[in-house]
Each structure stands twice: as C-alpha cells, then as structure tokens.
Amino acid sequence: MDVFSLRDWLLANDPAFSRLRTGLRVTLSVCLSVGLLAALHSFILPLPRAAYALAITLSIQSGLSVKDASMREQFVTRLMGCGVCIGVVGLAALLEGNRLASDLAFLVLIFLATYARTFGPRGFALGMFAFMSYFIGAYLRPDLGDLPVTALGPLTALLVGQGVRRFALADDWRLDLGRAVAAVETRVDRILARISATTGGIDERDRRQMDRQVERLKDAVMMAESFVPARPETDGRHDPERDDPRRIAVTVCLFELHVAAESLIVLSRQAFPPAQLVAALRAGSRERMERLARNAARSAPDDIYLQETIDACLSVDAVRRRLAVAVQRLAGAPDVSRGMKAPDTAGAVGLKLADFTLSDPAVRTAIQITLASALAMVFGLMLSRERWFWAVLSAFLVFTNTRSRGDTAMRAVQRSIGTLFGIAVGLVAASLLQAMTPVVLILAAVCVFLAFYLLAISYAAMTFFVSIVLALVYSLIGSLTPEVLILRLEETVIGSLAGLAVAFLVFPARTETLAGEALQRWCAALRRLLTDAAEGRSGFDLIHRSQVLERAYAELSSVVRPLGSSWQLVTRPGVVRQTLMTLMTATYWARTFAGGLAADPSRNGRALHVVGGGEVDEGGLPSAQMAPLVAEALAAVDRIEAKGGALFLTKRMALPRKRRHFRLSRQSSLVGLEMIALTLSRLEPGDVPQTSPSTEPGSHQESRA
C-alpha cells in the first residue's frame, strides 16, 4: 500500500482525519509532557509521582475535553483547569489526615463536576479536570510541602497541550473542509466501485453493502457540512444580504452530491450503467464520459430505465465538478469566518442556578453519579483500603456521554469487558518485555494512540488499550503482579455495577422515553420542512431544513441504540432496526423532495396553497397535486409522533418490497413528497394510505423501506 492509497483508506474510514488527530494529539501531549518532566527530574530537581500522574491525566483530558471555538478560549480553559487542578490536589492533601472528610469532599466535588457540564464545553472540561485531579491526589497522597513541585505536572501539561493544538496539530477549517470533501469523494468512488462490481445482478448481500456505503457517505457529508462556515442567525429564511454565496454554493453542492449518489444507486438496481461509463466517471474524464453516455443512449433509445441511469451518472459528474469549484472559491476567501457570537455565559449561569431543582435533568444526573460513586466507594473499600479509587473512577466514567439507563448499561459492560481482556494482554506483554524498557515505552505510546483513535468507535476498545498501558506502566515501576491487575478488574466491575444499579433505580431515564423525545424532534424537523415548502421558502432554506432533519435522524438513531443492542430481548433488535430503516427512508425521500424543489429556480417565494388548490406554479409543479400530498404527509407525521417511543417496540408484519420507478427530473419533488407518506405508513400497516401511486412510466423510484 503506497502513501496515497493509505491516505484514501484513512479518509474513507476517518473523514477529515478527526480521529487520527485526536489520537495523535493525546499521544504527543502525553509523551512530550512525560519527557519534559523526566528531563527536569534528572537534571534539575526530583519530582513526586503525582506530578507525572497529573501531567498524563491532564494531557489526556486536555486533548479530549477542551472544545472551545478559538485558541484563546482554549488557552483560558486550560489555564483555569490548571488552577482547578492545583487547588483540588491541595484540598486532597489537606484532608488526607481525615479520611471521612476527604471522602465526603470527594463526593461533593463529584456532584459539582457533574453539574458543571450544563454550562457548556468549558464547564464539562473543568469538571473533568477537577474530578481526575482529586482522584490522583487522593490516590497518590502528595504532601502539602510537595505541592509547588507537583504543580509542575499540570502546568507542563497545560503548555504542551496548548502548543500541540496550536502548532503541531492545529485546527484549520479550510484544511478540514478539504479533507472532509475528499472523504466524500472517496466514498462516492466506493459506491461507483460497488456498482461496477455488481453488474451481474444485485442480491441481498449487495443491497446491504450498498446501504452501508450510503450510510457512510451520509456521515462524510454531515462532517463536511460541519466545517462549512456557520450560517448567520436569522429567523430561518435565507438572508442574501448576510449570507455568503460561496458558503451557500458548497452547502448546496454537498447536498446535491448526496442526493445524486443515492439516486444513482437506486436507479442502478433497475438498469446497470455501462461499465465503461462508470469507469470514466470514477476517472473524472468528462469528455470521454459524455461520449460514452451519448453512445449508450443511442444504443438503447427505448430503454427508459437505462436512459435515466445514464442521466444519474452525468448528474453525479456535474455535481462533483461544481463542488470542487465551490470548495476552491470558499477556501480562497480571506473574509469568511466560522466564528459565531459568543453565548451569554453569565445569563446561562443565572438561568441554570435559578432552575436548580429536582426537575432539572442536570441535577438528577449529578445526584445519580454522586450516589453511584458513593456506592462504589463503600464496596470498593470493603475490597481494598488502597485501591478503592478505581471503583469510584469506573462509577463516574460509565455515566459520561450517556443519555439513558440503557446507554449506561452498555458502557458499564464495555468497560468491564475491555478491562478484562486488556489486563490479560497487558500482563502477558509486560511479562515478555520485562528487560526491554525502550520497547515497553514504544508499545505504551502505541496503545495510548490506539485507545483514543478508537474512542469514537468503541468505548470497550479504548478501555482495552488503556488497561494494557496501565499494566506496562506497573511493570516499569516494579509494581506489576497478577493480584494487582485482578484487583483492578474487581474494582472496575464494582464501579460498573454501582453505576448500573443507580441508573436503573434512581431517577431512571428510560431509553423508550428518550426515544420518544428524539422522535418528536425528528417529526418537528420533517414538519418544518413540509410547511416551509408549502409556504414557498427558497430552495436553500429547504436544503437547510433537510440538513436539520438529517441531524435529527442521527440523534434519534443514537438514542435508540440501546434498544437494539444484543443484550436486549432476542426479537427487539430486529424491530428497532426495521423502524430505524423506515425512518431513514422517509428522511431520504424528504431530502429528495427538498432537492427537487430547490432545483426549480422559478419556485423561490411561491407557496403551494395547501388549502384549496387547482393552481400551477410557474416552475411546472402542480399545486393541485402537491397540496393534498403535503397535507397527507403532515397527517402521517402527526400519527407517528403520537406513538412516541413505543414505535420502536411494536412488532409489525414485514411488508413486501415495492418496486417503483423514478424519473430523475424536477418531478422528483412530487415523488419524494408522495413517498414520505407512503413510507411512514409502513409503521402503521393497518392504515392504507389514500394516495394511489401513479403507474405512469417514470413517476416512481423503488422504495427503500
């Protein structure tokens, strides 16, 4: 594999290299911080173990938790984190003589650190800094007299983390956008390669692979859209005086490429494009492609399916070229800024403090985590008077980035499994490499990188590699024994079980309830898209609404993930997946609907007149047809929303796949609108949709539901 092939592979699996940079930032920060402290220890003054532990911990949290928009704000957060760290470690050292007071202080700090997450990214980061610092201080017990020297650890981590983020692996939205668009192009090429590989016929396996490719393309497109400079705050309408046309061009091209690639896949299931045409499309040879398209069209003038598949290939090629030009113009514009007006932090703090009651989800979460930590502390102390901190650490972390008790359960299981296998592998690796310190250090650095490179994919994988690192570190300091590693596993299980028990018994957040709330947001986004279309909003506004719908679906699929996990009832994952697939299909048709209307330049500002009808828009879209379809789609959305989270738990008969044909033209808006209601009707098989699908050739596309 050459360098370019490796880059393409990385972009395909990690758009914009976001996970790669996260892993490299954490690894580089840890290595540089430890290296600087080791040099300071060897040549100037000895440092306590707490300085190294704090430097490592804060280097990790600095790379993961500090997410402020600007470098200045990131530096302020790190500086505040350094101060919080020193103060918390000093408190732990001061209370060390009174074990009960120290433990109570730890629980109070856990509550405050958790509640601080409600104040945005900075509150989350400072809360993590405070918790991890007290954990290190209570575990390693530095003397008060050593506090000035110990402070060199977090101070070094602060400076190194800021330097790595500013100079070595800096954020640049132009580069990030370019990488993300390259990832989109790579995934389109993979779709074309899959189409080329299935010219002999599409079976169920090919269909599943194509659906996965479409999902991966959607992820890449959404990431690329996140790097486009932010849209000015308006009332939801396109404001030509405030919005930058270069930004609009990139957003529209990304949207069109997404729709065009999906349409090509579905049309290819009806008629395969010529292999040479697909090869020319992948190669980017415009003249050759147009020549092959003309020849293929002449060879089968009566094959309407093939004609439309050829048109879809030409559409993909045209959009890709427009996207390249649009990205080049946007990246070369010096006056484009991604910055947005800073939120009113003081007002937000006042609002949060005013709502400090049990009705506030943030307060309930803080109480949950504090109780779980207290349980872990009690049972951890029963097991070990020296290592009980590991149980508290597990109880605290299993609640991080979770929404429901199902999420917490999955995280607890993943942490326990990752620790089990990581300890086993780490013990073997440390035993084999006892006399090879340089190799151990290199292996530890590699495991740190892999842990945080894979964090966004698998929490269990992160825990696995971190456990290996801990085993290697214990071997370096001469404290590695099987008993210590087994004790760590036992304390981890205790903390995980404590978190699991509290999640299910104290203020339980049922996944079904949260799924219902996420479904409401999805329905609201779809309803807003439909009403905006009926009111005659501009094409760019409709595209923006479609993007909001995409994000709502992404959130919904994440919320219901625990309902479809393998540890649930055997039949439940199939029901959840079927429901999600249907909602994803409705999202696809909504995107097709928005794209069809946006492609009509004469439509801007013209309403559909949902009540009544009989008129025809200048763009050729008949209001008499659109109006009842909008009303029917809105009614279907209302019925689905009324079902709430129970929608994902209701068994239903599998409906036969319907094959419909779709012409790639402006009428795609009409088809997309009709298919929204038809698709949602699959979630209520007892109801028969009123719409009678047209049998006219070229009026329908194959339903993906």
Side-chain angles (χ1 to χ4, degrees):
M1 179 180 290
D2 57 26
V3 174
F4 296 104
S5 299
L6 177 61
R7 180 181 181 276
D8 290 342
W9 182 86
L10 286 173
L11 278 174
N13 293 277
D14 180 21
F17 297 147
S18 57
R19 289 190 289 114
L20 177 65
R21 281 184 296 167
T22 297
L24 289 175
R25 281 171 179 163
V26 172
T27 305
L28 191 57
S29 297
V30 170
C31 292
L32 289 177
S33 297
V34 172
L36 289 174
L37 291 178
L40 188 63
H41 182 94
S42 300
F43 299 108
I44 301 179
L45 76 162
L47 298 174
R49 290 186 301 168
Y52 290 94
L54 289 171
I56 293 172
T57 303
L58 266 64
S59 293
I60 293 173
Q61 292 303 324
S62 178
L64 298 178
S65 303
V66 179
K67 297 180 179 179
D68 299 273
S70 66
M71 291 302 303
R72 180 181 179 277
E73 292 300 314
Q74 290 178 17
F75 180 75
V76 171
T77 299
R78 289 188 173 93
L79 192 61
M80 294 174 64
C82 184
V84 168
C85 172
I86 296 171
V88 164
V89 172
L91 178 63
L94 183 65
L95 298 178
E96 178 55 34
N98 189 332
R99 193 68 261 166
L100 178 60
S102 178
D103 295 344
L104 291 177
F106 197 7
L107 294 177
V108 171
L109 185 140
I110 288 172
F111 180 88
L112 296 176
T114 305
Y115 189 72
R117 298 173 183 176
T118 62
F119 301 122
R122 177 169 292 169
F124 180 88
L126 294 180
M128 292 301 298
F129 285 147
F131 171 80
M132 297 304 299
S133 299
Y134 198 98
F135 169 79
I136 296 297
Y139 182 48
L140 297 180
R141 305 173 185 173
D143 295 331
L144 274 175
D146 291 336
L147 191 59
V149 182
T150 303
L152 292 175
L155 183 60
T156 301
L158 160 72
L159 296 176
V160 169
Q162 187 71 16
V164 168
R165 192 67 176 261
R166 176 66 178 85
F167 300 106
L169 295 165
D171 285 324
D172 186 331
W173 71 266
R174 290 176 172 84
L175 292 177
D176 292 338
L177 177 61
R179 295 189 188 106
V181 170
V184 171
E185 296 282 3
T186 299
R187 292 189 176 181
V188 170
D189 285 336
R190 291 198 170 193
I191 288 174
L192 297 175
R194 172 54 53 187
I195 292 175
S196 298
T198 56
T199 52
I202 296 179
D203 54 21
E204 191 60 30
R205 177 174 173 272
D206 294 327
R207 187 184 298 274
R208 288 196 301 269
Q209 290 181 345
M210 285 185 175
D211 288 341
R212 282 197 294 270
Q213 294 287 356
V214 170
E215 279 297 294
R216 293 167 70 87
L217 173 63
K218 181 178 72 174
D219 293 340
V221 169
M222 291 181 68
M223 176 167 285
E225 289 171 348
S226 70
F227 293 121
V228 177
R231 182 185 188 182
E233 290 296 328
T234 64
D235 63 350
R237 289 185 179 271
H238 167 53
D239 187 346
E241 295 183 357
R242 297 177 58 192
D243 217 342
D244 192 307
R246 293 164 296 199
R247 190 192 75 82
I248 295 175
V250 174
T251 302
V252 171
C253 288
L254 285 170
F255 178 87
E256 291 179 344
L257 182 58
H258 188 185
V259 174
E262 282 187 319
S263 299
L264 177 58
I265 284 182
V266 180
L267 291 170
S268 296
R269 294 172 182 174
Q270 301 172 155
F272 288 109
Q276 291 182 341
L277 180 62
V278 176
L281 177 58
R282 295 177 63 187
S285 177
R286 181 177 182 178
E287 294 181 358
R288 181 167 179 264
M289 181 181 171
E290 291 177 349
R291 184 178 67 255
L292 291 171
R294 287 194 299 268
N295 294 338
R298 292 185 188 126
S299 64
D302 298 328
D303 190 343
I304 186 173
Y305 294 166
L306 178 60
Q307 299 288 339
E308 291 163 4
T309 304
I310 294 172
D311 289 343
C313 291
L314 293 173
S315 177
V316 170
D317 180 68
V319 174
R320 292 178 78 169
R321 295 182 185 281
R322 291 201 303 271
L323 176 61
V325 174
V327 170
Q328 184 178 9
R329 289 176 178 173
L330 179 64
D335 56 336
V336 177
S337 173
R338 299 184 67 222
M340 297 186 68
K341 183 179 179 180
D344 182 7
T345 306
V349 172
L351 181 62
K352 287 294 180 182
L353 293 178
D355 194 34
F356 191 80
T357 63
L358 287 179
S359 61
D360 186 357
V363 174
R364 294 199 298 267
T365 300
I367 292 174
Q368 280 185 313
I369 297 179
T370 304
L371 288 177
S373 300
L375 278 177
M377 185 182 294
V378 170
F379 288 99
L381 279 168
M382 292 181 182
L383 188 62
S384 171
R385 302 292 299 180
E386 301 293 331
R387 311 283 185 178
W388 59 270
F389 301 97
W390 289 335
V392 176
L393 179 66
S394 296
F396 182 86
L397 292 180
V398 295
F399 279 95
T400 304
N401 295 326
T402 59
R403 297 184 178 93
S404 64
R405 63 186 186 180
D407 265 346
T408 305
M410 291 179 62
R411 201 171 182 89
V413 171
Q414 291 175 354
R415 185 171 183 85
S416 299
I417 292 176
T419 301
L420 171 63
F421 287 100
I423 283 175
V425 173
L427 183 60
V428 172
S431 300
L432 295 176
L433 302 173
Q434 282 183 348
M436 306 170 66
T437 301
V439 177
V440 170
L441 292 174
I442 294 174
L443 180 59
V446 171
C447 288
V448 168
F449 168 76
L450 291 174
F452 296 102
Y453 177 75
L454 298 174
L455 175 59
I457 299 176
S458 171
Y459 184 70
M462 186 277 291
T463 308
F464 170 77
F465 285 109
V466 168
S467 298
I468 294 176
V469 173
L470 290 176
L472 296 175
V473 170
Y474 279 133
S475 71
L476 289 175
I477 63 178
S479 301
L480 179 66
T481 63
E483 291 76 17
V484 170
L485 295 182
I486 292 174
L487 180 60
R488 169 173 169 74
L489 175 61
E490 293 172 342
E491 295 282 4
T492 298
V493 172
I494 287 175
S496 299
L497 290 177
L500 192 60
V502 170
F504 275 80
L505 299 177
V506 181
F507 304 128
R510 299 188 61 190
T511 305
E512 180 182 346
T513 302
L514 296 178
E517 295 173 357
L519 179 64
Q520 287 181 347
R521 289 188 287 273
W522 182 86
C523 290
L526 179 55
R527 187 181 295 110
R528 184 67 183 272
L529 170 61
L530 293 170
T531 54
D532 279 2
E535 292 172 0
R537 294 289 182 96
S538 69
F540 182 67
D541 285 330
L542 298 182
I543 289 177
H544 175 67
R545 294 301 174 198
S546 177
Q547 293 169 340
V548 173
L549 181 64
E550 291 281 355
R551 291 192 289 270
Y553 173 78
E555 179 194 5
L556 176 62
S557 62
S558 176
V559 168
V560 303
R561 185 178 63 246
L563 292 177
S565 60
S566 57
W567 54 270
Q568 286 280 3
L569 298 176
V570 174
T571 57
R572 183 169 293 180
V575 175
V576 174
R577 282 194 293 268
Q578 180 189 30
T579 305
L580 277 177
M581 181 62 71
T582 304
L583 295 176
M584 182 186 72
T585 304
T587 304
Y588 163 75
W589 286 117
R591 186 165 57 246
T592 302
F593 169 61
L597 291 182
D600 185 357
S602 64
R603 217 201 136 263
N604 189 23
R606 298 190 175 273
L608 295 176
H609 305 288
V610 176
V611 179
E615 299 160 2
V616 179
D617 286 344
E618 293 179 7
L621 295 176
S623 294
Q625 289 181 267
M626 297 283 280
L629 289 175
V630 169
E632 182 181 341
L634 289 172
V637 172
D638 292 338
R639 292 194 299 269
I640 294 302
E641 184 178 14
K643 296 177 182 295
L647 183 71
F648 297 94
L649 305 178
T650 304
K651 293 183 180 180
R652 57 184 67 90
M653 296 285 293
L655 297 180
R657 182 183 295 272
K658 297 181 180 180
R659 183 178 179 84
R660 298 185 176 93
H661 184 63
F662 167 54
R663 183 172 57 208
L664 200 67
S665 67
R666 287 183 183 176
Q667 291 297 319
S668 62
S669 58
L670 193 62
V671 177
L673 181 56
E674 176 187 334
M675 289 301 297
I676 292 172
L678 288 173
T679 301
L680 293 180
S681 70
R682 289 175 170 264
L683 298 176
E684 38 182 358
D687 299 332
V688 180
Q690 298 177 2
T691 302
S692 178
S694 171
T695 57
E696 178 187 353
S699 62
H700 290 83
Q701 184 175 2
E702 181 184 0
S703 171
R704 296 177 45 179

